[in-house]
Structures are given as structure tokens and as C-alpha cells.
Amino acid sequence: MHQPIDPANLAEAAPDDPARRERRKDARPGELLAAALDLFVEKGFAATRVEEVARRAGVSKGTLFLYFSSKEELFKAVVRENISGRFAQWNEEIERFEGSSPDMLRYCLNSWWERIGATKASGIPKLMMSEARNFPELARFYQHEVMQPGSALIERVLKRGVARGEFRPIDFKYGVYMVLAPLLYLAMWKHSLGSCGGNLAQLVPEEYLAVQFDMLMSGLSATGAGPALARPPSSA
Amino acid sequence: MHQPIDPANLAEAAPDDPARRERRKDARPGELLAAALDLFVEKGFAATRVEEVARRAGVSKGTLFLYFSSKEELFKAVVRENISGRFAQWNEEIERFEGSSPDMLRYCLNSWWERIGATKASGIPKLMMSEARNFPELARFYQHEVMQPGSALIERVLKRGVARGEFRPIDFKYGVYMVLAPLLYLAMWKHSLGSCGGNLAQLVPEEYLAVQFDMLMSGLSATGAGPALARPPSSA
Amino acid sequence: MHQPIDPANLAEAAPDDPARRERRKDARPGELLAAALDLFVEKGFAATRVEEVARRAGVSKGTLFLYFSSKEELFKAVVRENISGRFAQWNEEIERFEGSSPDMLRYCLNSWWERIGATKASGIPKLMMSEARNFPELARFYQHEVMQPGSALIERVLKRGVARGEFRPIDFKYGVYMVLAPLLYLAMWKHSLGSCGGNLAQLVPEEYLAVQFDMLMSGLSATGAGPALARPPSSA
Amino acid sequence: MHQPIDPANLAEAAPDDPARRERRKDARPGELLAAALDLFVEKGFAATRVEEVARRAGVSKGTLFLYFSSKEELFKAVVRENISGRFAQWNEEIERFEGSSPDMLRYCLNSWWERIGATKASGIPKLMMSEARNFPELARFYQHEVMQPGSALIERVLKRGVARGEFRPIDFKYGVYMVLAPLLYLAMWKHSLGSCGGNLAQLVPEEYLAVQFDMLMSGLSATGAGPALARPPSSA
DNA sequence: CATGAATGAGTGTTCATTCAT
DNA sequence: CATGAATGAACACTCATTCAT
């Protein structure tokens, strides 16, 4: 990732050389961002000490402030770094998917679990929920870069199912939330109450997701006799 | 000294009159609890300053500690006042409910919305999710005083429905989460991303809940042909 | 002690009637002073809470301030209350004592232990040592009312012994401290380090005093060959 | 990573060079320790404000906590710096001492006076007496770090004297207190009543100590005919 | 006289941020 | 570029003192 450091030009590079600074922005900050993600997810924003982030990244506290002008900026950078990129691939996969819509939906839930839910990244939605109010700008950013593409992806799946007669006609706006809510609740639960000992009913995420999927299918099933969702879609 | 004490009215105004004390303990703390709820919901537990709570209630910092021995106790009192204190009545209502189990479930969702979801109290679940990790004692408290009774209440409804043949047999542990997750997600959404302008799809909570209810019913329906939840219940 | 309360003149007694206040100064304050002595001795001045003093005396915090304008004044009153009186009797006893001077000295040490050292009053010297610097006026008072008569009493005993040829001639000024220092050190030790668990060598006060007495006698003995104190008395 | 690490100069300037850290830890803290000693002695432990210590040392409050993790640790450091740290040297001196035991004891008293008694450090025993009860952890520390080694040192001197036939056999436990009590009483007196004007009999410490030493010697003298301490030693 | 609710200044400690080297 | 020593604002909680009743 870094080019080999050439001692020959060290003396020549002006301290404020923008190019050099640019390069750095990719180098050392990477370790800082990783450390920050770990700690923010683990302890939350307020309880994370910048010194510990720096230490975990192997640099000094002063160095951290060389790259991020404040703890808040660090937080924003962490969120930016860890969320957007995946949707492109995800959309492609959906595009190429050839199975039934229920299978496609199951595939979505499963890959969410594998790529987000079961990983450290699952801490980010929780992070955003917790801090959104104190970082409205970040919240807006998250809406545009994460919530919107995510919702769009799910909406596409649902629409495909309806179009192919595999799902009954539904109100897509709320249908999306029906898929999202259980996933996001699970992510948040994992990183808050679920991480505190003494839980009455220890969730097994895989089972939780299976049950939620069954539930979804019975709500979406074109053959189901239930009244659910059988209302004229309010928005396309 | 001021005026001769008239024994006749001793019962009404004796300095240690328990009733008077009761009134006091209910009077000023009431304003403190209201102020605390506002601020906790608005800024979170850690970011709320006890002094500001006091100021908003119109008393001094010292007075607050006269009624609540610590910030954590204040928080617990807020939770008791707004959530756990209601389970008794709620349980009674359920006990006396005579309609069908679907109606009972709908009644639960509706009263949750009216009493919690639509009020400032809906900020509390979000708050707990955000702060649980950093305040384990509060998390334990919340588990015992809120999550447990809440889950038990829902489980009772589900069991009644199954027993009366109105719901298909389900795994109750996950069934409870199927009811809870959408509610809690809504509460959290309201107090985080939902409270920041510029949302792509503005949820209308009532509609969201209606759709979620339909969904639930189709998943639970005894007559439905879908595969959902049709697994042997794992716990009674 | 108090005159019976005549309801007839209650209305007439001006609230600030000094006589009435005087009366009170003997009545309720007695309990307050006792409670304060206990607590000051037990926990020191700073660590004693006026509220606890009041509670132990069975009155409210406000009432305490009715009698003592501040915590410091309470402290002064406690010290004043508990120190002077005993010397008159003590001096008389010494006056009448007819045994040998060593026996008289032993008698002094023993009665100090019985009347002061073994009682709560032993806390007062410790109190004074601890707080003298912050209450210079009290320190002066203590010097005049306690240290001075106490020293004089001991000096009288020593002089008697020298006059009767039972003690060798000594410098009385320092001789007095030779008697006092072990006693006062014991009192302070009892109320500080001695009251904390885990002492290496648990003192038994009676044994400590016996050994100190032997020591004193060997230093004072007219027959002893040692060089001790055999210098021309420098004062008195 | 920044520059190739040259093993050759690691010992001199590595950022984590323990020697450099050592120097730092001795530099500024020295001023803090001096300021703390002054203030603790002057006002006591509880009444001393860490901010004032910092201010007097010319640094900020935060800096103080950079070097001492708490006020109690600061106090312990003061005690170590001024008292317990000296026992090693003191023990060595005793070890090498070749004169008679009475001379050795006199040497001990004199060096106590020069190194502790006559210096600000003499305020520490008084301080401990005053605050021990309210700071049990400090009391324990003081017992282990000061009282115990101090007693052991004196006990060694006494045992040597008895072993060499220069002192008569004594109960060492109380013998130690016979040496200690006058010293500690002097220290306390200096910092409490002795520091308030208007003393009846102004002690001259050097004379006080000389007299106490004579007294001790006559009590310990092997040739003395007195009864003092001539009891079978209770502990070896 | 007596109460006890109310006050608010004061304390030890933390931690994001700065800056001289 | 990197460091880490220094900063100082901030915060929960205490408690002597006041005063309306």
C-alpha cells in the first residue's frame, strides 16, 4: 500500500507538501480507522478514548490529531470508510440472481448476516442509531449512503417478487421496513443489551433470522390466505 | 411560636404527616422526572448533565440529589415512572380481555403505541440500546424491569392464542421477538435517524404498525397454509 | 434544671430573650455536645457531619444551628465543655497524698489512665493535636486551661520528690515532658493508628504504662547511678 | 517504519528509553512532591487541595495527575520520598556502626532529629496521626512503610545492646515505644500546639531530646540498680 | 422553638486537544 | 512527520448553612 520510503527525498519534501499529506491520508489513517472502528463498536463513541485508538494503531495521541482534527471527525471518517462500498457488488449479485424471489430474499438475508450482521460492521448501524442525534450531518450522510441504497435493494427484490407473481401485492415502502426492522434490531441488540450478561432469552441469531424469514414469507406469500399486506400499494 | 397549635388540625398539617411527606415526594420529583425524561431522551444518559435536569425542573442541583441518590437512580426512576410501572395495569387489562387473540394482540400493539411509542417514553428503549454497554447496571435493571415483563406479557398473549387454536403452534421465544423487534425498531428509528431531516421515506408510524400487524397475523394465523413458524415449539 | 414551662408566659418571652436562650444552652445543647464529642473523637472534625451529630442528639439539623452558629463553634464548645473541671479535684488529691513520691507519680499515671486515657476524653488531646493549627484560638485556650494546669500538677509532684530526696535533682521543664509525652502519645496512638487494624505490635495500654513508669522511676531514682537528668535544673 | 531503526542508538534516544522516562519522572514531580509536602504538613491531607499543590509547583491540575494517579498516591510518594526511602541508608549506617550501643542509640536520635525532626518531614507523623482514621488505606501504608521499619530499626539497636551486655534485658516491644514515643510526641507537638504562639514553656527540641536520651540510658543501663524494665523479656 | 427542604460553592478526577521539540 | 508533556474545562456528588413554615 505504501510505496517504499526513499530516504533520498525525505529532506526535500516540504513538510506541508499536499501530495505527501495525501499519501499519508491513505497510509497511517488506515490503521487508525481500523482501531477506531473496533473501539467505537465495542464501547461507543463517548466511552472510546482517543488515546486508546492511537495506542491500538501503534501511534501517539498527537499523531491521531495530525490526521483527524477532532474525535468527531475521526468518527465520521470511520463511518464513511466502512459502509458504502458494498452495495455495488450486492446490486450486481441481485441483478444476476436467477432463482425464485423467496430464494432471492433468503439470499439477501443470509448475505447480510454473513457480511454485516456477523461481523464487526454490524456495530455501525448501532453506532449510527446511538449517535445520529448528536451528529446530524453524519446522520444525513448515513441516510444517503446506506439507508437509501439498502432500502432500494430490498425494494427491488420485493418488486421482482410481486411482478413475477411470487409475492402478493404490497405497499413497498412498509414492506422494506418489514425486512429491515428485524435485521437492524438484531444488529442493535447484539451490540447493546445482548452483550450484557444475564439475558432472559439468549437469542441465537441464525434461528432468529430463520424464524423472521418464515414470518416474512408467510406475510408475502402469494398463496397465503391471510389478510396481511393485501392492500393496494400506496407507493410504487 | 407562630400560632398556637390547634390539635384539631394536627392530623392535617403535622410536620411528619406521612400524607404530606407523600405529597412532597410526589410533587417536586415529578418535575424532576419530567425534566430528566426530556433530557435523557434528547441527549442520552451520559450526555445529560444533572445540573441541567435540575435547572429545567426549577430546582438546584443539590435538590435533585435530595430525591435521587445518583444520576443512575434518577434514570431508574424515570424508567419506572414511564415504563415498568405500567406493566401491572397492562397485565390486568390483558387478564380481563375477552376478545379473540388477534384482537388482543392488536390491542397490545395499539396501547404500546399510545402509551409508549407515541410519547416521549419511546426514547427510553433507544436510550438503553445506546448506553447499555457503558452502564451495565442500568442494562441489568432494564432487562429485569422492562424487557422481562414485556416479553412475558407478549408471550402470554401468544400462548393464549395457540391454546385457543387461534394461532398456529410457534416457538414462543422467537415469536416474542417477532412482535417486539418492529416496535423497538420503530422507537429507535424515531429517536435517531427518523429525527433528522431529509428522510427519504417518511414513515407514518400508524401505518407502519398496521402493516407489521398484518404481517404478524399472517405469520401467526392458524388457518394460513404458509410454512411460517410451523415448527414444534421449543419452549412451553 | 429547667424551670417548669409555664404556658402562660410563653407568649411573653421575647424570642431572643437571653435568659431563655441561656437556659437552653444547658438543656438541649448538652445532648448535642455529647453527640459531637463522640463523633469528633471517632471521626475527626472534618469527617464529622453536622447532620449526624444532630441525629444522634435526636434533633434536626436546623436545631443544631439554633444553638451553635457554625460547625466550628460547635467544636469549640465541645472542647470547652470537656476539659477544665477535673484539675481542681486532682490537685486536692495530690495535696492530700501522703505516700512516697514514686507512689504519688504512679498514682497520677494511674488516675490519668482511669479518668482520661481509658475514656472517651482521651480523644480530646488527639482532637486538639489534629485541629490546633486550624483553630489557633482554641489552641491557646487549651494551652491555658489544660496543658498549663496539667504541667503544673506534674511539676509539683516532681518538685515534691526532689525536695524529699526521693528523686534526683532534675530540670523540671523537661521532666514534665518526660511524664507527659508517653501519656499523650498513647492517647493519640489509641485514636489514630492504633484504631486501624493490622498493627504490627498491639500495645496493651496498661503494660505500656507500667513500662513507662519503670523507666521514669529509673530515670528519676535518687539512688540510680545513671547520668540521666543529673544536670543542674535549668528552670524553676 | 518512519526511518530505519538503527540499533546502534536505541540505547540513547529511543522514545521509550527507560532512562529518559526516569529523568522526567524525577524532574517535575520533584517540585510537586515539595509543594505537596509543604501543603500536607501545613493543612493536613484532607484540607489540602490538589489544585493548590499543582499551582504551587507551577503546573496545572492535570499535570499532577499525569505523575500521580490520585491524591492518595501523591501522599504516599511524599512519604516515600521523605521517610521510608531513607530506611535503607539508615539501616546500612546502623549495620556499619562500630561504637557502643548507647552511642548507637544516641546516633539514631540525633539523625532522626537532623533528617526528620528538624525538617518539614516532621509534619508527616503528625499528619498521619490526624488523618489515619479517615484514610485507612494511608494508615495501612504508613504502618507498613514507616512504623514497621522504624520499629525494627530501633529494636535492632536495643537487641544489640542487650546482646553485648550494654543494656539490661528488656521487653523489646515496649522498649521500642519508649524510644519512639518521645520523638513522635515532639514531632506532633511541633506541628500543633507548639506552632501556636503563647506557649508557656517553649521547648528547645535539642534539649528535650538530650534529656529524653539521658532518661532512656538510665532506664536501659545494664549497671543501673533501678527496677526499670528488669522484667523477663516477653518477646525476643 | 423546631423543622427539614433547599441551596450552591467546592472537590478529585478525566480526557480531548495543543504545541514545543 | 511524530511525539508526549501539558493543559483546563467539565462533571457527579457532598454538605454546611439558611429560612419559610
Side-chain angles (χ1 to χ4, degrees):
Chain A
M1 177 181 280
H2 339 190
Q3 52 185 119
I5 294 175
D6 177 0
N9 64 15
L10 268 183
E12 290 166 27
D16 288 343
D17 179 344
R20 236 175 119 213
R21 176 171 289 260
E22 205 58 25
R23 221 186 317 120
R24 289 283 170 171
K25 284 264 178 200
D26 286 348
R28 196 145 308 277
E31 298 164 28
L32 281 165
L33 287 171
L37 172 63
D38 282 4
L39 288 166
F40 282 150
V41 165
E42 184 181 333
K43 328 173 79 147
F45 177 74
T48 294
R49 310 285 145 231
V50 292
E51 182 155 30
E52 200 181 350
V53 174
R55 198 187 317 137
R56 189 176 290 207
V59 301
S60 77
K61 203 165 30 159
T63 304
L64 186 153
F65 283 94
L66 213 57
Y67 292 102
F68 305 97
S69 61
S70 73
K71 195 187 181 187
E72 298 202 356
E73 285 303 322
L74 173 62
F75 179 75
K76 292 182 189 174
V78 166
V79 176
R80 285 199 195 90
E81 175 90 355
N82 284 281
I83 33 181
S84 328
R86 256 185 263 276
F87 281 111
Q89 186 201 350
W90 224 331
N91 277 324
E92 266 183 51
E93 287 171 14
I94 292 301
E95 213 71 51
R96 284 200 299 267
F97 197 91
E98 296 188 338
S100 71
S101 292
D103 282 351
M104 181 186 268
L105 194 52
R106 185 200 310 273
Y107 174 79
C108 285
L109 266 59
N110 281 341
S111 42
W112 177 86
W113 174 247
E114 283 162 17
R115 300 175 193 183
I116 308 276
T119 74
K120 250 176 0 200
S122 62
I124 292 181
K126 191 263 185 173
L127 221 50
M128 282 307 311
M129 280 282 178
S130 300
E131 313 287 351
R133 230 184 188 136
N134 305 321
F135 298 95
E137 181 206 331
L138 258 190
R140 252 186 318 274
F141 173 81
Y142 190 77
Q143 289 278 15
H144 289 321
E145 301 276 320
V146 181
M147 294 303 281
Q148 198 160 54
S151 302
L153 191 150
I154 292 171
E155 192 170 343
R156 201 140 20 116
V157 175
L158 295 179
K159 281 185 171 165
R160 176 184 189 264
V162 172
R164 291 165 53 135
E166 293 164 313
F167 296 154
R168 70 182 75 177
I170 58 170
D171 180 325
F172 293 116
K173 183 166 83 172
Y174 293 102
V176 162
Y177 279 105
M178 242 168 307
V179 179
L180 276 182
L183 299 186
L184 295 177
Y185 179 78
L186 176 60
M188 277 173 261
W189 183 87
K190 254 189 60 177
H191 290 280
S192 56
L193 295 173
S195 71
C196 306
N199 289 305
L200 39 151
Q202 275 296 1
L203 276 184
V204 178
E206 286 82 358
E207 294 181 4
Y208 170 92
L209 286 173
V211 174
Q212 292 284 4
F213 178 75
D214 286 352
M215 174 82 142
L216 267 173
M217 288 329 296
S218 97
L220 293 171
S221 165
T223 64
L229 301 165
R231 42 175 64 188
S234 71
S235 76
Chain B
M1 173 185 284
H2 318 135
Q3 53 182 118
I5 294 175
D6 176 1
N9 62 16
L10 266 183
E12 289 170 33
D16 289 345
D17 180 344
R20 220 177 129 214
R21 172 172 292 259
E22 204 59 23
R23 232 184 310 123
R24 286 263 177 70
K25 287 269 173 196
D26 282 353
R28 203 142 297 283
E31 298 163 29
L32 281 165
L33 287 171
L37 175 62
D38 282 4
L39 287 165
F40 283 149
V41 165
E42 185 181 331
K43 329 173 78 148
F45 178 76
T48 293
R49 309 291 144 223
V50 291
E51 185 155 28
E52 199 180 352
V53 173
R55 199 185 317 136
R56 186 175 292 207
V59 300
S60 76
K61 195 165 39 161
T63 304
L64 186 152
F65 284 97
L66 211 57
Y67 292 101
F68 306 98
S69 59
S70 71
K71 195 186 181 187
E72 293 212 353
E73 285 304 318
L74 173 62
F75 179 76
K76 289 182 185 177
V78 167
V79 173
R80 283 199 198 91
E81 175 90 355
N82 290 283
I83 304 198
S84 33
R86 303 202 171 160
F87 280 114
Q89 186 202 348
W90 226 331
N91 277 322
E92 266 184 53
E93 288 171 12
I94 291 301
E95 211 71 50
R96 284 201 299 266
F97 197 91
E98 294 187 339
S100 71
S101 293
D103 282 352
M104 182 187 266
L105 194 52
R106 185 200 311 272
Y107 174 77
C108 284
L109 267 58
N110 282 340
S111 43
W112 177 87
W113 174 248
E114 284 162 17
R115 301 176 192 183
I116 309 276
T119 74
K120 265 177 326 202
S122 59
I124 292 179
K126 185 263 183 173
L127 217 153
M128 280 309 312
M129 282 282 179
S130 301
E131 315 264 9
R133 211 148 195 177
N134 301 119
F135 300 92
E137 163 61 18
L138 291 185
R140 250 187 317 273
F141 168 81
Y142 193 76
Q143 289 278 13
H144 287 321
E145 301 269 324
V146 180
M147 294 303 280
Q148 200 161 49
S151 302
L153 191 150
I154 292 171
E155 192 170 343
R156 202 139 21 115
V157 175
L158 295 179
K159 281 183 173 166
R160 177 185 189 264
V162 171
R164 292 167 49 134
E166 294 164 314
F167 298 155
R168 69 181 78 174
I170 58 168
D171 180 325
F172 293 115
K173 184 165 85 173
Y174 292 101
V176 162
Y177 280 105
M178 241 167 307
V179 179
L180 277 181
L183 300 186
L184 295 177
Y185 179 77
L186 176 61
M188 279 175 262
W189 183 88
K190 255 188 64 177
H191 290 280
S192 54
L193 297 172
S195 72
C196 307
N199 289 303
L200 43 151
Q202 273 298 0
L203 275 185
V204 178
E206 285 83 358
E207 293 181 4
Y208 170 93
L209 286 173
V211 173
Q212 291 284 3
F213 177 75
D214 285 352
M215 173 81 142
L216 266 173
M217 288 329 297
S218 96
L220 292 171
S221 166
T223 64
L229 301 167
R231 40 177 66 190
S234 71
S235 74
Chain C
M1 176 179 281
H2 339 187
Q3 51 184 119
I5 295 175
D6 178 0
N9 63 15
L10 265 184
E12 290 166 29
D16 289 345
D17 179 344
R20 241 178 112 211
R21 176 171 289 260
E22 204 59 24
R23 222 191 311 124
R24 287 284 171 174
K25 282 266 175 201
D26 288 347
R28 198 147 304 280
E31 298 163 29
L32 281 165
L33 287 171
L37 173 62
D38 283 3
L39 288 166
F40 282 151
V41 165
E42 186 182 331
K43 329 174 78 148
F45 177 75
T48 294
R49 311 283 146 232
V50 294
E51 182 154 31
E52 201 181 351
V53 173
R55 198 188 315 136
R56 189 176 290 207
V59 301
S60 77
K61 204 166 29 162
T63 304
L64 187 153
F65 282 94
L66 214 56
Y67 293 102
F68 305 97
S69 60
S70 73
K71 194 187 180 186
E72 298 203 353
E73 285 302 321
L74 173 63
F75 177 75
K76 292 181 188 174
V78 165
V79 176
R80 286 200 194 89
E81 174 90 353
N82 285 281
I83 34 181
S84 328
R86 253 185 264 277
F87 283 110
Q89 186 202 351
W90 224 332
N91 276 323
E92 267 184 50
E93 288 172 12
I94 292 301
E95 213 70 51
R96 283 200 302 265
F97 196 92
E98 296 187 338
S100 70
S101 291
D103 281 352
M104 182 186 267
L105 194 53
R106 188 201 308 274
Y107 174 79
C108 284
L109 267 58
N110 281 341
S111 43
W112 177 86
W113 173 247
E114 284 163 16
R115 300 175 193 183
I116 308 277
T119 75
K120 245 174 9 195
S122 61
I124 292 182
K126 191 261 186 174
L127 221 48
M128 282 305 312
M129 280 282 178
S130 299
E131 312 289 349
R133 220 166 195 158
N134 306 320
F135 298 94
E137 179 207 331
L138 257 190
R140 252 187 317 275
F141 174 82
Y142 191 77
Q143 288 279 16
H144 289 321
E145 301 276 321
V146 181
M147 294 303 281
Q148 199 161 52
S151 302
L153 191 151
I154 293 171
E155 192 170 343
R156 199 137 25 112
V157 175
L158 295 179
K159 281 183 171 166
R160 177 185 188 264
V162 170
R164 291 166 51 134
E166 293 164 314
F167 296 155
R168 70 181 75 176
I170 59 169
D171 181 324
F172 293 115
K173 183 166 85 174
Y174 292 103
V176 162
Y177 279 106
M178 241 168 306
V179 179
L180 276 183
L183 300 187
L184 295 178
Y185 179 76
L186 176 61
M188 278 174 262
W189 183 87
K190 255 188 61 177
H191 290 281
S192 56
L193 295 173
S195 71
C196 307
N199 289 305
L200 38 153
Q202 274 297 0
L203 276 185
V204 178
E206 286 84 357
E207 293 182 3
Y208 169 92
L209 287 174
V211 174
Q212 292 283 3
F213 177 75
D214 286 352
M215 173 82 144
L216 266 173
M217 288 329 296
S218 97
L220 293 171
S221 165
T223 65
L229 301 167
R231 41 177 65 189
S234 72
S235 77
Chain D
M1 177 180 280
H2 319 133
Q3 53 180 119
I5 294 175
D6 177 1
N9 63 15
L10 265 185
E12 288 169 35
D16 289 345
D17 179 347
R20 218 175 131 216
R21 174 171 292 260
E22 203 60 22
R23 230 184 311 122
R24 287 265 176 69
K25 287 267 172 197
D26 282 353
R28 202 141 298 281
E31 298 163 30
L32 282 165
L33 287 172
L37 176 61
D38 282 4
L39 288 165
F40 282 150
V41 165
E42 186 181 332
K43 328 175 77 148
F45 177 76
T48 293
R49 308 292 144 223
V50 290
E51 186 157 26
E52 199 180 351
V53 173
R55 199 186 318 135
R56 186 176 292 209
V59 301
S60 78
K61 198 161 42 155
T63 303
L64 186 154
F65 283 96
L66 211 57
Y67 292 100
F68 305 98
S69 60
S70 71
K71 195 186 181 187
E72 294 212 352
E73 285 303 318
L74 172 62
F75 179 78
K76 290 182 184 177
V78 167
V79 173
R80 282 199 199 92
E81 175 92 355
N82 289 282
I83 305 200
S84 35
R86 303 202 172 160
F87 281 114
Q89 188 202 347
W90 226 332
N91 276 324
E92 265 184 53
E93 289 170 12
I94 292 301
E95 213 71 51
R96 285 199 299 266
F97 196 93
E98 295 187 339
S100 71
S101 293
D103 282 352
M104 183 187 265
L105 193 52
R106 185 200 310 273
Y107 174 78
C108 284
L109 266 59
N110 281 340
S111 43
W112 177 86
W113 174 249
E114 283 163 17
R115 301 175 194 184
I116 308 276
T119 74
K120 266 178 327 204
S122 60
I124 293 180
K126 186 262 183 175
L127 217 153
M128 280 310 310
M129 282 282 177
S130 300
E131 315 265 9
R133 214 151 194 172
N134 301 120
F135 300 92
E137 164 60 19
L138 291 185
R140 247 187 320 274
F141 167 80
Y142 193 75
Q143 289 279 14
H144 287 321
E145 300 269 324
V146 179
M147 294 304 280
Q148 199 161 51
S151 302
L153 190 149
I154 293 170
E155 192 170 345
R156 203 144 16 120
V157 176
L158 296 179
K159 282 185 171 165
R160 176 183 188 265
V162 171
R164 292 166 51 134
E166 295 163 312
F167 297 154
R168 71 182 74 177
I170 59 169
D171 182 323
F172 293 115
K173 184 166 83 171
Y174 292 102
V176 162
Y177 279 105
M178 242 167 308
V179 180
L180 276 182
L183 301 186
L184 296 178
Y185 179 77
L186 176 61
M188 279 176 261
W189 183 87
K190 256 188 63 177
H191 290 279
S192 55
L193 297 173
S195 73
C196 306
N199 287 304
L200 43 153
Q202 272 298 2
L203 275 184
V204 178
E206 285 82 357
E207 293 181 5
Y208 169 93
L209 286 173
V211 174
Q212 291 283 5
F213 177 74
D214 286 352
M215 172 82 143
L216 267 173
M217 288 329 296
S218 93
L220 293 171
S221 165
T223 64
L229 302 165
R231 41 177 63 191
S234 72
S235 74

